[in-house]
Amino acid sequence: MPYEALDFYDVDSLLTEEERMVRDMVRDFVDEDVIPKIEYACRDGVFPDEWRVALGEMGVLGAPLEGYGCSGLSYTAYGVICRELERGDSGLRSFASVQGSLAMYPIWDFGSEEQKQHYLPKMASGEWIGCFGLTEPDYGSNPGDMITKAEDMGGHYLLNGAKMWITNGTIAQVAIVWAKLDGVIRGFIVEKDDPGFSAPEMKGKHSLKASVTSELVFQDCKIPKDRLLPNVEGLRGPFSCLNNARYGISWGAVGAAQACFDSARDYSLSRIQFTHPIASYQLVQNKLSWMLREITKAQLLAYHLGQKKDAGTWIPEQISLAKMNNVDIALEIAREARDIHGANGILDEYCIMRHMANLESVKTYEGTHDIHNLILGRHITGIQAFTREL
Amino acid sequence: MTIAVLLKQVPDTTAKISVNGGRVDESAVSKWSFSPYDEYALEAALQLKEVAGGELVAITAGPARCEKLLRDAAAVGADTLVHISAENVNDLDSIQIQKLLAAAVEKSGASVIFCGKQAADTNAGSTGPGVAELIGASCVTLVSEVAADGAGYTATRPSSSGHEKVGVSAPCVFAFDKGLTEMRRPNVRGIMMAKKKPIETWSVAYLGVDIGASSVNIDSHSPPAEKPPGQKFEGAESVSTVVGKLRDEANVI
Ligand SMILES: Cc1cc2nc3c(=O)[nH]c(=O)nc-3n(C[C@H](O)[C@H](O)[C@H](O)COP(=O)(O)OP(=O)(O)OC[C@H]3O[C@@H](n4cnc5c(N)ncnc54)[C@H](O)[C@@H]3O)c2cc1C
């Protein structure tokens, strides 16, 4: 059955014609090139290279950035792109989020003119893949205490340390690595072949199987002086990137939820138990109407946040709320949808268990659910509760 | 050289069609798309333009909703967009439509015309030959491929023993069957350019063509009859019943 995107409040009618055309383009790509292959990609644990090519050709990588070969679309359009990609798979959306918001964006915002001209066009076209190294084995939610460090050796920088859980790491030509230089967090552009740099892939994931996750290891890794991002210091650097990626995730999660709803509705209408479709029973209808309710709210949240991003009137706490809420409901919807599918729900013939497992990662990365609660808690009370140390 | 592509907007082949008061309820159509054979025609026209140069004009006749179709054509590479505005398109018969399209083709200056072999809604299949007749062009139908060959064009179409290549010179019309390549996907750059492209709206009066009266009157539309429910038989004892039904009711053995 063809996919029918749930849009109960006609939120997409608020999009511009251009945004709707971008939506249809990405939706067709997902229908034609992603859905038929996604289960194979997951079984093999690979991100199909043709998706990289297609994303570049469509012009959706770094979509909201202006100039340097980037499309210069609205942030709302970027959200729509994330939603449509994640309707296919969170791993696919992760690829695009990392490339655009976490690797291209810091070069675009904090890089030198030469860096922008050198890297951005090739990253927008998908020729070069980027990754973003912030998390370390011992520092996840509190990246500020990271131990990866850079030393100024006069003619070059020397990087030492390790990053973990880095999306696209092994397949990336360009890594944006956050490390401490004289105790201050700075961003560095590390290239695949830099001496002393390796990016082994992490295996054995039950989630985001079609996305590559890696360690980044720096052992006396020597990089030229012009690879420092000149225009940012401190946690503001990585956090500005995360704001954009988290914003995209708040839309992406809606896509995953829509896919699960679509599958659950179709399945419940065709599955007969006790001589009637299970969709005719009140308990099942209650689940479906709850999904409809939550998806509709999440859509309105994402759309309004998009308008605020485009108007420049947003604050990071609003992004935290949307990321946290929309991933939370998407994960719950995936679980309920799995339940409605009964035993069939565990098969890869249906998308739901895959979305459910994916969303567990999405809940954790880009600030865990609870870290976003703490961000909101600090906003409400003015008291930080991340640590007992003040 | 100007290449024209004649495009029709039809309910998407996946959209649910409902009939209300003896007519297809257009307001209930959730998605409108290119008629599928028109997509092959458009793609082949884009490819021809890439090798032979020239300008590609996309022409459609229909109500205001058809502008979306033209924007989609622009997003993949159509240069000029022509909308023959005909709110009552469903009341026109095939010949009237052909007259409108032929007049628009002549006005556009196009000498090579691409279209689908039939539209996915009415399936009349007469547009290509009809337009060719009106503008005095040669016409090749059921085309899967068109190549420019110096003096003219070679079109590939099926023949009783495989495929035949038909050579024609402009003016000519190619009515497309399934082509070799699916229509390309647009990209963001194309979409952004399409947004800025003006749509020329040509009224019937502006075209200055007398389309006469419709010679066809549609009494009513009706949905296809519902399939009778399937029958299920289990166990060895039902074999003779099943064989009987296959022979007497289904006529398959
Ligand atoms: C598939 C995948 C891809 C990823 N891709 C990237 C990437 O590309 N780049 C990158 O840099 N990172 C990436 N990450 C890492 C991700 O950002 C981290 O996993 C995340 O920040 C959480 O860190 P952690 O896993 O160390 O969990 P921890 O920080 O150890 O958290 C464990 C639990 O403790 C809770 N917790 C922590 N601190 C507090 C507190 N103060 N109060 C209350 N509860 C607390 C958390 O909410 C969580 O429930 C990825 C992760 C995954 C799973």
Side-chain angles (χ1 to χ4, degrees), chain A residues 2 17-18 21 25 29 32-33 57-59 71, chain B residues 14 68 71-72 75 185-188 191-192 195:
Chain A
E17 187 180 4
E18 176 178 288
M21 285 172 84
M25 168 186 76
F29 160 69
E32 288 163 16
D33 294 359
E57 281 175 357
M58 285 190 286
S71 293
Chain B
T14 63
K68 155 112 177 64
R71 293 243 178 268
D72 287 341
R185 191 173 288 133
N187 58 30
V188 171
I191 289 172
M192 291 172 103
K195 182 185 65 173

mmCIF file with all atom_site columns, all heavy atoms in Angstrom, chain A residues 2 17-18 21 25 29 32-33 57-59 71, chain B residues 14 68 71-72 75 185-188 191-192 195:
data_model
loop_
_atom_site.group_PDB
_atom_site.id
_atom_site.type_symbol
_atom_site.label_atom_id
_atom_site.label_alt_id
_atom_site.label_comp_id
_atom_site.label_asym_id
_atom_site.label_entity_id
_atom_site.label_seq_id
_atom_site.pdbx_PDB_ins_code
_atom_site.Cartn_x
_atom_site.Cartn_y
_atom_site.Cartn_z
_atom_site.occupancy
_atom_site.B_iso_or_equiv
_atom_site.pdbx_formal_charge
_atom_site.auth_seq_id
_atom_site.auth_comp_id
_atom_site.auth_asym_id
_atom_site.auth_atom_id
_atom_site.pdbx_PDB_model_num
ATOM 1   N N   . PRO A 1 2   ? 0.527  2.226  -0.830  1.00 0.00 ? 2   PRO A N   1
ATOM 2   C CA  . PRO A 1 2   ? 1.382  3.426  -0.851  1.00 0.00 ? 2   PRO A CA  1
ATOM 3   C C   . PRO A 1 2   ? 1.306  4.175  0.478   1.00 0.00 ? 2   PRO A C   1
ATOM 4   O O   . PRO A 1 2   ? 0.286  4.142  1.169   1.00 0.00 ? 2   PRO A O   1
ATOM 5   C CB  . PRO A 1 2   ? 0.784  4.264  -1.981  1.00 0.00 ? 2   PRO A CB  1
ATOM 6   C CG  . PRO A 1 2   ? -0.602 3.768  -2.161  1.00 0.00 ? 2   PRO A CG  1
ATOM 7   C CD  . PRO A 1 2   ? -0.620 2.341  -1.729  1.00 0.00 ? 2   PRO A CD  1
ATOM 8   N N   . GLU A 1 17  ? 5.178  26.651 -1.503  1.00 0.00 ? 17  GLU A N   1
ATOM 9   C CA  . GLU A 1 17  ? 5.129  25.712 -2.622  1.00 0.00 ? 17  GLU A CA  1
ATOM 10  C C   . GLU A 1 17  ? 6.506  25.058 -2.812  1.00 0.00 ? 17  GLU A C   1
ATOM 11  O O   . GLU A 1 17  ? 6.611  23.856 -3.066  1.00 0.00 ? 17  GLU A O   1
ATOM 12  C CB  . GLU A 1 17  ? 4.702  26.444 -3.898  1.00 0.00 ? 17  GLU A CB  1
ATOM 13  C CG  . GLU A 1 17  ? 4.467  25.476 -5.038  1.00 0.00 ? 17  GLU A CG  1
ATOM 14  C CD  . GLU A 1 17  ? 4.035  26.151 -6.326  1.00 0.00 ? 17  GLU A CD  1
ATOM 15  O OE1 . GLU A 1 17  ? 3.979  27.399 -6.375  1.00 0.00 ? 17  GLU A OE1 1
ATOM 16  O OE2 . GLU A 1 17  ? 3.769  25.414 -7.285  1.00 0.00 ? 17  GLU A OE2 1
ATOM 17  N N   . GLU A 1 18  ? 7.538  25.877 -2.647  1.00 0.00 ? 18  GLU A N   1
ATOM 18  C CA  . GLU A 1 18  ? 8.896  25.351 -2.799  1.00 0.00 ? 18  GLU A CA  1
ATOM 19  C C   . GLU A 1 18  ? 9.178  24.266 -1.751  1.00 0.00 ? 18  GLU A C   1
ATOM 20  O O   . GLU A 1 18  ? 9.740  23.207 -2.061  1.00 0.00 ? 18  GLU A O   1
ATOM 21  C CB  . GLU A 1 18  ? 9.877  26.510 -2.630  1.00 0.00 ? 18  GLU A CB  1
ATOM 22  C CG  . GLU A 1 18  ? 11.322 26.127 -2.667  1.00 0.00 ? 18  GLU A CG  1
ATOM 23  C CD  . GLU A 1 18  ? 12.196 27.377 -2.541  1.00 0.00 ? 18  GLU A CD  1
ATOM 24  O OE1 . GLU A 1 18  ? 12.241 28.142 -3.507  1.00 0.00 ? 18  GLU A OE1 1
ATOM 25  O OE2 . GLU A 1 18  ? 12.800 27.586 -1.472  1.00 0.00 ? 18  GLU A OE2 1
ATOM 26  N N   . MET A 1 21  ? 7.505  21.135 -2.759  1.00 0.00 ? 21  MET A N   1
ATOM 27  C CA  . MET A 1 21  ? 8.184  20.442 -3.868  1.00 0.00 ? 21  MET A CA  1
ATOM 28  C C   . MET A 1 21  ? 9.412  19.703 -3.352  1.00 0.00 ? 21  MET A C   1
ATOM 29  O O   . MET A 1 21  ? 9.716  18.589 -3.798  1.00 0.00 ? 21  MET A O   1
ATOM 30  C CB  . MET A 1 21  ? 8.577  21.444 -4.962  1.00 0.00 ? 21  MET A CB  1
ATOM 31  C CG  . MET A 1 21  ? 7.386  21.890 -5.794  1.00 0.00 ? 21  MET A CG  1
ATOM 32  S SD  . MET A 1 21  ? 7.795  23.245 -6.934  1.00 0.00 ? 21  MET A SD  1
ATOM 33  C CE  . MET A 1 21  ? 8.476  22.342 -8.320  1.00 0.00 ? 21  MET A CE  1
ATOM 34  N N   . MET A 1 25  ? 10.031 15.663 -3.542  1.00 0.00 ? 25  MET A N   1
ATOM 35  C CA  . MET A 1 25  ? 11.267 15.123 -4.111  1.00 0.00 ? 25  MET A CA  1
ATOM 36  C C   . MET A 1 25  ? 11.886 14.097 -3.154  1.00 0.00 ? 25  MET A C   1
ATOM 37  O O   . MET A 1 25  ? 12.221 12.974 -3.558  1.00 0.00 ? 25  MET A O   1
ATOM 38  C CB  . MET A 1 25  ? 12.248 16.274 -4.358  1.00 0.00 ? 25  MET A CB  1
ATOM 39  C CG  . MET A 1 25  ? 13.658 15.847 -4.686  1.00 0.00 ? 25  MET A CG  1
ATOM 40  S SD  . MET A 1 25  ? 14.771 17.271 -4.794  1.00 0.00 ? 25  MET A SD  1
ATOM 41  C CE  . MET A 1 25  ? 15.018 17.676 -3.066  1.00 0.00 ? 25  MET A CE  1
ATOM 42  N N   . PHE A 1 29  ? 12.219 9.932  -3.378  1.00 0.00 ? 29  PHE A N   1
ATOM 43  C CA  . PHE A 1 29  ? 13.516 9.262  -3.226  1.00 0.00 ? 29  PHE A CA  1
ATOM 44  C C   . PHE A 1 29  ? 13.401 8.149  -2.181  1.00 0.00 ? 29  PHE A C   1
ATOM 45  O O   . PHE A 1 29  ? 13.862 7.020  -2.393  1.00 0.00 ? 29  PHE A O   1
ATOM 46  C CB  . PHE A 1 29  ? 14.589 10.289 -2.833  1.00 0.00 ? 29  PHE A CB  1
ATOM 47  C CG  . PHE A 1 29  ? 15.818 9.696  -2.195  1.00 0.00 ? 29  PHE A CG  1
ATOM 48  C CD1 . PHE A 1 29  ? 16.696 8.914  -2.932  1.00 0.00 ? 29  PHE A CD1 1
ATOM 49  C CD2 . PHE A 1 29  ? 16.101 9.923  -0.853  1.00 0.00 ? 29  PHE A CD2 1
ATOM 50  C CE1 . PHE A 1 29  ? 17.830 8.368  -2.339  1.00 0.00 ? 29  PHE A CE1 1
ATOM 51  C CE2 . PHE A 1 29  ? 17.228 9.381  -0.255  1.00 0.00 ? 29  PHE A CE2 1
ATOM 52  C CZ  . PHE A 1 29  ? 18.095 8.595  -0.999  1.00 0.00 ? 29  PHE A CZ  1
ATOM 53  N N   . GLU A 1 32  ? 11.292 5.240  -3.561  1.00 0.00 ? 32  GLU A N   1
ATOM 54  C CA  . GLU A 1 32  ? 11.868 4.484  -4.680  1.00 0.00 ? 32  GLU A CA  1
ATOM 55  C C   . GLU A 1 32  ? 13.229 3.876  -4.360  1.00 0.00 ? 32  GLU A C   1
ATOM 56  O O   . GLU A 1 32  ? 13.524 2.771  -4.799  1.00 0.00 ? 32  GLU A O   1
ATOM 57  C CB  . GLU A 1 32  ? 12.007 5.400  -5.907  1.00 0.00 ? 32  GLU A CB  1
ATOM 58  C CG  . GLU A 1 32  ? 10.654 5.729  -6.522  1.00 0.00 ? 32  GLU A CG  1
ATOM 59  C CD  . GLU A 1 32  ? 10.725 6.931  -7.453  1.00 0.00 ? 32  GLU A CD  1
ATOM 60  O OE1 . GLU A 1 32  ? 11.838 7.321  -7.864  1.00 0.00 ? 32  GLU A OE1 1
ATOM 61  O OE2 . GLU A 1 32  ? 9.647  7.495  -7.748  1.00 0.00 ? 32  GLU A OE2 1
ATOM 62  N N   . ASP A 1 33  ? 14.049 4.604  -3.627  1.00 0.00 ? 33  ASP A N   1
ATOM 63  C CA  . ASP A 1 33  ? 15.439 4.159  -3.468  1.00 0.00 ? 33  ASP A CA  1
ATOM 64  C C   . ASP A 1 33  ? 15.798 3.704  -2.055  1.00 0.00 ? 33  ASP A C   1
ATOM 65  O O   . ASP A 1 33  ? 16.837 3.083  -1.865  1.00 0.00 ? 33  ASP A O   1
ATOM 66  C CB  . ASP A 1 33  ? 16.413 5.284  -3.867  1.00 0.00 ? 33  ASP A CB  1
ATOM 67  C CG  . ASP A 1 33  ? 16.335 5.600  -5.351  1.00 0.00 ? 33  ASP A CG  1
ATOM 68  O OD1 . ASP A 1 33  ? 15.554 4.937  -6.041  1.00 0.00 ? 33  ASP A OD1 1
ATOM 69  O OD2 . ASP A 1 33  ? 17.042 6.516  -5.805  1.00 0.00 ? 33  ASP A OD2 1
ATOM 70  N N   . GLU A 1 57  ? 23.081 14.847 -5.091  1.00 0.00 ? 57  GLU A N   1
ATOM 71  C CA  . GLU A 1 57  ? 22.453 15.288 -6.344  1.00 0.00 ? 57  GLU A CA  1
ATOM 72  C C   . GLU A 1 57  ? 21.183 16.084 -6.083  1.00 0.00 ? 57  GLU A C   1
ATOM 73  O O   . GLU A 1 57  ? 20.892 17.064 -6.768  1.00 0.00 ? 57  GLU A O   1
ATOM 74  C CB  . GLU A 1 57  ? 22.131 14.078 -7.231  1.00 0.00 ? 57  GLU A CB  1
ATOM 75  C CG  . GLU A 1 57  ? 23.334 13.560 -7.973  1.00 0.00 ? 57  GLU A CG  1
ATOM 76  C CD  . GLU A 1 57  ? 23.046 12.281 -8.765  1.00 0.00 ? 57  GLU A CD  1
ATOM 77  O OE1 . GLU A 1 57  ? 21.906 11.758 -8.701  1.00 0.00 ? 57  GLU A OE1 1
ATOM 78  O OE2 . GLU A 1 57  ? 23.980 11.809 -9.425  1.00 0.00 ? 57  GLU A OE2 1
ATOM 79  N N   . MET A 1 58  ? 20.418 15.647 -5.100  1.00 0.00 ? 58  MET A N   1
ATOM 80  C CA  . MET A 1 58  ? 19.184 16.383 -4.806  1.00 0.00 ? 58  MET A CA  1
ATOM 81  C C   . MET A 1 58  ? 19.493 17.774 -4.239  1.00 0.00 ? 58  MET A C   1
ATOM 82  O O   . MET A 1 58  ? 18.680 18.677 -4.334  1.00 0.00 ? 58  MET A O   1
ATOM 83  C CB  . MET A 1 58  ? 18.322 15.597 -3.811  1.00 0.00 ? 58  MET A CB  1
ATOM 84  C CG  . MET A 1 58  ? 17.629 14.402 -4.436  1.00 0.00 ? 58  MET A CG  1
ATOM 85  S SD  . MET A 1 58  ? 16.412 13.671 -3.311  1.00 0.00 ? 58  MET A SD  1
ATOM 86  C CE  . MET A 1 58  ? 17.451 12.842 -2.145  1.00 0.00 ? 58  MET A CE  1
ATOM 87  N N   . GLY A 1 59  ? 20.659 17.910 -3.620  1.00 0.00 ? 59  GLY A N   1
ATOM 88  C CA  . GLY A 1 59  ? 21.013 19.220 -3.058  1.00 0.00 ? 59  GLY A CA  1
ATOM 89  C C   . GLY A 1 59  ? 20.464 19.425 -1.662  1.00 0.00 ? 59  GLY A C   1
ATOM 90  O O   . GLY A 1 59  ? 20.167 20.553 -1.273  1.00 0.00 ? 59  GLY A O   1
ATOM 91  N N   . SER A 1 71  ? 22.413 24.967 -0.739  1.00 0.00 ? 71  SER A N   1
ATOM 92  C CA  . SER A 1 71  ? 21.146 25.329 -1.373  1.00 0.00 ? 71  SER A CA  1
ATOM 93  C C   . SER A 1 71  ? 20.519 26.609 -0.841  1.00 0.00 ? 71  SER A C   1
ATOM 94  O O   . SER A 1 71  ? 19.763 27.268 -1.545  1.00 0.00 ? 71  SER A O   1
ATOM 95  C CB  . SER A 1 71  ? 20.145 24.179 -1.218  1.00 0.00 ? 71  SER A CB  1
ATOM 96  O OG  . SER A 1 71  ? 20.576 23.066 -1.967  1.00 0.00 ? 71  SER A OG  1
ATOM 97  N N   . THR B 2 14  ? -2.024 6.074  -7.495  1.00 0.00 ? 14  THR B N   1
ATOM 98  C CA  . THR B 2 14  ? -2.262 5.479  -6.179  1.00 0.00 ? 14  THR B CA  1
ATOM 99  C C   . THR B 2 14  ? -3.409 6.179  -5.445  1.00 0.00 ? 14  THR B C   1
ATOM 100 O O   . THR B 2 14  ? -3.800 5.745  -4.356  1.00 0.00 ? 14  THR B O   1
ATOM 101 C CB  . THR B 2 14  ? -1.012 5.583  -5.285  1.00 0.00 ? 14  THR B CB  1
ATOM 102 O OG1 . THR B 2 14  ? -0.721 6.972  -5.067  1.00 0.00 ? 14  THR B OG1 1
ATOM 103 C CG2 . THR B 2 14  ? 0.183  4.902  -5.915  1.00 0.00 ? 14  THR B CG2 1
ATOM 104 N N   . LYS B 2 68  ? 0.780  23.430 -10.923 1.00 0.00 ? 68  LYS B N   1
ATOM 105 C CA  . LYS B 2 68  ? 1.739  22.632 -10.150 1.00 0.00 ? 68  LYS B CA  1
ATOM 106 C C   . LYS B 2 68  ? 2.518  21.699 -11.082 1.00 0.00 ? 68  LYS B C   1
ATOM 107 O O   . LYS B 2 68  ? 3.719  21.515 -10.945 1.00 0.00 ? 68  LYS B O   1
ATOM 108 C CB  . LYS B 2 68  ? 0.966  21.855 -9.076  1.00 0.00 ? 68  LYS B CB  1
ATOM 109 C CG  . LYS B 2 68  ? 1.605  20.576 -8.571  1.00 0.00 ? 68  LYS B CG  1
ATOM 110 C CD  . LYS B 2 68  ? 2.053  20.706 -7.128  1.00 0.00 ? 68  LYS B CD  1
ATOM 111 C CE  . LYS B 2 68  ? 2.633  19.451 -6.531  1.00 0.00 ? 68  LYS B CE  1
ATOM 112 N NZ  . LYS B 2 68  ? 3.873  18.967 -7.134  1.00 0.00 ? 68  LYS B NZ  1
ATOM 113 N N   . ARG B 2 71  ? 5.186  23.582 -12.844 1.00 0.00 ? 71  ARG B N   1
ATOM 114 C CA  . ARG B 2 71  ? 6.322  23.860 -11.947 1.00 0.00 ? 71  ARG B CA  1
ATOM 115 C C   . ARG B 2 71  ? 7.181  22.601 -11.794 1.00 0.00 ? 71  ARG B C   1
ATOM 116 O O   . ARG B 2 71  ? 8.405  22.680 -11.753 1.00 0.00 ? 71  ARG B O   1
ATOM 117 C CB  . ARG B 2 71  ? 5.850  24.303 -10.570 1.00 0.00 ? 71  ARG B CB  1
ATOM 118 C CG  . ARG B 2 71  ? 5.170  25.618 -10.558 1.00 0.00 ? 71  ARG B CG  1
ATOM 119 C CD  . ARG B 2 71  ? 5.929  26.662 -9.714  1.00 0.00 ? 71  ARG B CD  1
ATOM 120 N NE  . ARG B 2 71  ? 5.226  27.922 -9.799  1.00 0.00 ? 71  ARG B NE  1
ATOM 121 C CZ  . ARG B 2 71  ? 5.485  28.861 -10.707 1.00 0.00 ? 71  ARG B CZ  1
ATOM 122 N NH1 . ARG B 2 71  ? 6.475  28.716 -11.546 1.00 0.00 ? 71  ARG B NH1 1
ATOM 123 N NH2 . ARG B 2 71  ? 4.767  29.966 -10.752 1.00 0.00 ? 71  ARG B NH2 1
ATOM 124 N N   . ASP B 2 72  ? 6.513  21.466 -11.679 1.00 0.00 ? 72  ASP B N   1
ATOM 125 C CA  . ASP B 2 72  ? 7.274  20.214 -11.563 1.00 0.00 ? 72  ASP B CA  1
ATOM 126 C C   . ASP B 2 72  ? 8.091  19.968 -12.828 1.00 0.00 ? 72  ASP B C   1
ATOM 127 O O   . ASP B 2 72  ? 9.219  19.475 -12.762 1.00 0.00 ? 72  ASP B O   1
ATOM 128 C CB  . ASP B 2 72  ? 6.332  19.032 -11.299 1.00 0.00 ? 72  ASP B CB  1
ATOM 129 C CG  . ASP B 2 72  ? 5.774  19.051 -9.883  1.00 0.00 ? 72  ASP B CG  1
ATOM 130 O OD1 . ASP B 2 72  ? 6.367  19.740 -9.021  1.00 0.00 ? 72  ASP B OD1 1
ATOM 131 O OD2 . ASP B 2 72  ? 4.744  18.393 -9.623  1.00 0.00 ? 72  ASP B OD2 1
ATOM 132 N N   . ALA B 2 75  ? 11.056 22.161 -12.737 1.00 0.00 ? 75  ALA B N   1
ATOM 133 C CA  . ALA B 2 75  ? 12.062 21.721 -11.760 1.00 0.00 ? 75  ALA B CA  1
ATOM 134 C C   . ALA B 2 75  ? 13.008 20.690 -12.363 1.00 0.00 ? 75  ALA B C   1
ATOM 135 O O   . ALA B 2 75  ? 14.155 20.571 -11.946 1.00 0.00 ? 75  ALA B O   1
ATOM 136 C CB  . ALA B 2 75  ? 11.383 21.153 -10.518 1.00 0.00 ? 75  ALA B CB  1
ATOM 137 N N   . ARG B 2 185 ? 14.685 12.755 -11.242 1.00 0.00 ? 185 ARG B N   1
ATOM 138 C CA  . ARG B 2 185 ? 14.203 13.398 -10.029 1.00 0.00 ? 185 ARG B CA  1
ATOM 139 C C   . ARG B 2 185 ? 14.669 14.861 -10.075 1.00 0.00 ? 185 ARG B C   1
ATOM 140 O O   . ARG B 2 185 ? 15.766 15.135 -10.551 1.00 0.00 ? 185 ARG B O   1
ATOM 141 C CB  . ARG B 2 185 ? 14.837 12.673 -8.852  1.00 0.00 ? 185 ARG B CB  1
ATOM 142 C CG  . ARG B 2 185 ? 14.277 13.018 -7.520  1.00 0.00 ? 185 ARG B CG  1
ATOM 143 C CD  . ARG B 2 185 ? 14.860 12.106 -6.451  1.00 0.00 ? 185 ARG B CD  1
ATOM 144 N NE  . ARG B 2 185 ? 14.365 10.755 -6.519  1.00 0.00 ? 185 ARG B NE  1
ATOM 145 C CZ  . ARG B 2 185 ? 15.142 9.668  -6.455  1.00 0.00 ? 185 ARG B CZ  1
ATOM 146 N NH1 . ARG B 2 185 ? 16.443 9.765  -6.344  1.00 0.00 ? 185 ARG B NH1 1
ATOM 147 N NH2 . ARG B 2 185 ? 14.609 8.468  -6.509  1.00 0.00 ? 185 ARG B NH2 1
ATOM 148 N N   . PRO B 2 186 ? 13.863 15.780 -9.594  1.00 0.00 ? 186 PRO B N   1
ATOM 149 C CA  . PRO B 2 186 ? 14.353 17.161 -9.589  1.00 0.00 ? 186 PRO B CA  1
ATOM 150 C C   . PRO B 2 186 ? 15.427 17.315 -8.516  1.00 0.00 ? 186 PRO B C   1
ATOM 151 O O   . PRO B 2 186 ? 15.703 16.385 -7.762  1.00 0.00 ? 186 PRO B O   1
ATOM 152 C CB  . PRO B 2 186 ? 13.112 17.969 -9.213  1.00 0.00 ? 186 PRO B CB  1
ATOM 153 C CG  . PRO B 2 186 ? 12.264 17.027 -8.442  1.00 0.00 ? 186 PRO B CG  1
ATOM 154 C CD  . PRO B 2 186 ? 12.537 15.652 -8.998  1.00 0.00 ? 186 PRO B CD  1
ATOM 155 N N   . ASN B 2 187 ? 16.061 18.457 -8.456  1.00 0.00 ? 187 ASN B N   1
ATOM 156 C CA  . ASN B 2 187 ? 16.920 18.753 -7.314  1.00 0.00 ? 187 ASN B CA  1
ATOM 157 C C   . ASN B 2 187 ? 16.551 20.135 -6.788  1.00 0.00 ? 187 ASN B C   1
ATOM 158 O O   . ASN B 2 187 ? 15.729 20.840 -7.389  1.00 0.00 ? 187 ASN B O   1
ATOM 159 C CB  . ASN B 2 187 ? 18.401 18.629 -7.668  1.00 0.00 ? 187 ASN B CB  1
ATOM 160 C CG  . ASN B 2 187 ? 18.791 19.544 -8.809  1.00 0.00 ? 187 ASN B CG  1
ATOM 161 O OD1 . ASN B 2 187 ? 18.212 20.615 -8.991  1.00 0.00 ? 187 ASN B OD1 1
ATOM 162 N ND2 . ASN B 2 187 ? 19.767 19.128 -9.579  1.00 0.00 ? 187 ASN B ND2 1
ATOM 163 N N   . VAL B 2 188 ? 17.151 20.472 -5.649  1.00 0.00 ? 188 VAL B N   1
ATOM 164 C CA  . VAL B 2 188 ? 16.756 21.725 -5.001  1.00 0.00 ? 188 VAL B CA  1
ATOM 165 C C   . VAL B 2 188 ? 17.008 22.915 -5.919  1.00 0.00 ? 188 VAL B C   1
ATOM 166 O O   . VAL B 2 188 ? 16.195 23.834 -6.000  1.00 0.00 ? 188 VAL B O   1
ATOM 167 C CB  . VAL B 2 188 ? 17.494 21.901 -3.658  1.00 0.00 ? 188 VAL B CB  1
ATOM 168 C CG1 . VAL B 2 188 ? 17.255 23.294 -3.104  1.00 0.00 ? 188 VAL B CG1 1
ATOM 169 C CG2 . VAL B 2 188 ? 17.036 20.852 -2.657  1.00 0.00 ? 188 VAL B CG2 1
ATOM 170 N N   . ILE B 2 191 ? 14.222 23.154 -8.331  1.00 0.00 ? 191 ILE B N   1
ATOM 171 C CA  . ILE B 2 191 ? 12.991 23.586 -7.662  1.00 0.00 ? 191 ILE B CA  1
ATOM 172 C C   . ILE B 2 191 ? 13.024 25.096 -7.416  1.00 0.00 ? 191 ILE B C   1
ATOM 173 O O   . ILE B 2 191 ? 12.038 25.798 -7.624  1.00 0.00 ? 191 ILE B O   1
ATOM 174 C CB  . ILE B 2 191 ? 12.807 22.804 -6.343  1.00 0.00 ? 191 ILE B CB  1
ATOM 175 C CG1 . ILE B 2 191 ? 12.449 21.345 -6.655  1.00 0.00 ? 191 ILE B CG1 1
ATOM 176 C CG2 . ILE B 2 191 ? 11.729 23.449 -5.470  1.00 0.00 ? 191 ILE B CG2 1
ATOM 177 C CD1 . ILE B 2 191 ? 12.426 20.424 -5.452  1.00 0.00 ? 191 ILE B CD1 1
ATOM 178 N N   . MET B 2 192 ? 14.189 25.594 -6.997  1.00 0.00 ? 192 MET B N   1
ATOM 179 C CA  . MET B 2 192 ? 14.268 27.027 -6.725  1.00 0.00 ? 192 MET B CA  1
ATOM 180 C C   . MET B 2 192 ? 14.148 27.843 -8.006  1.00 0.00 ? 192 MET B C   1
ATOM 181 O O   . MET B 2 192 ? 13.569 28.927 -8.019  1.00 0.00 ? 192 MET B O   1
ATOM 182 C CB  . MET B 2 192 ? 15.560 27.353 -5.983  1.00 0.00 ? 192 MET B CB  1
ATOM 183 C CG  . MET B 2 192 ? 15.549 26.791 -4.571  1.00 0.00 ? 192 MET B CG  1
ATOM 184 S SD  . MET B 2 192 ? 17.119 26.960 -3.754  1.00 0.00 ? 192 MET B SD  1
ATOM 185 C CE  . MET B 2 192 ? 16.795 28.334 -2.686  1.00 0.00 ? 192 MET B CE  1
ATOM 186 N N   . LYS B 2 195 ? 10.457 27.919 -9.182  1.00 0.00 ? 195 LYS B N   1
ATOM 187 C CA  . LYS B 2 195 ? 9.618  28.837 -8.419  1.00 0.00 ? 195 LYS B CA  1
ATOM 188 C C   . LYS B 2 195 ? 9.608  30.221 -9.074  1.00 0.00 ? 195 LYS B C   1
ATOM 189 O O   . LYS B 2 195 ? 8.602  30.920 -9.073  1.00 0.00 ? 195 LYS B O   1
ATOM 190 C CB  . LYS B 2 195 ? 10.196 28.924 -7.004  1.00 0.00 ? 195 LYS B CB  1
ATOM 191 C CG  . LYS B 2 195 ? 9.432  29.799 -6.061  1.00 0.00 ? 195 LYS B CG  1
ATOM 192 C CD  . LYS B 2 195 ? 10.148 29.916 -4.733  1.00 0.00 ? 195 LYS B CD  1
ATOM 193 C CE  . LYS B 2 195 ? 11.483 30.618 -4.871  1.00 0.00 ? 195 LYS B CE  1
ATOM 194 N NZ  . LYS B 2 195 ? 12.157 30.901 -3.595  1.00 0.00 ? 195 LYS B NZ  1
#
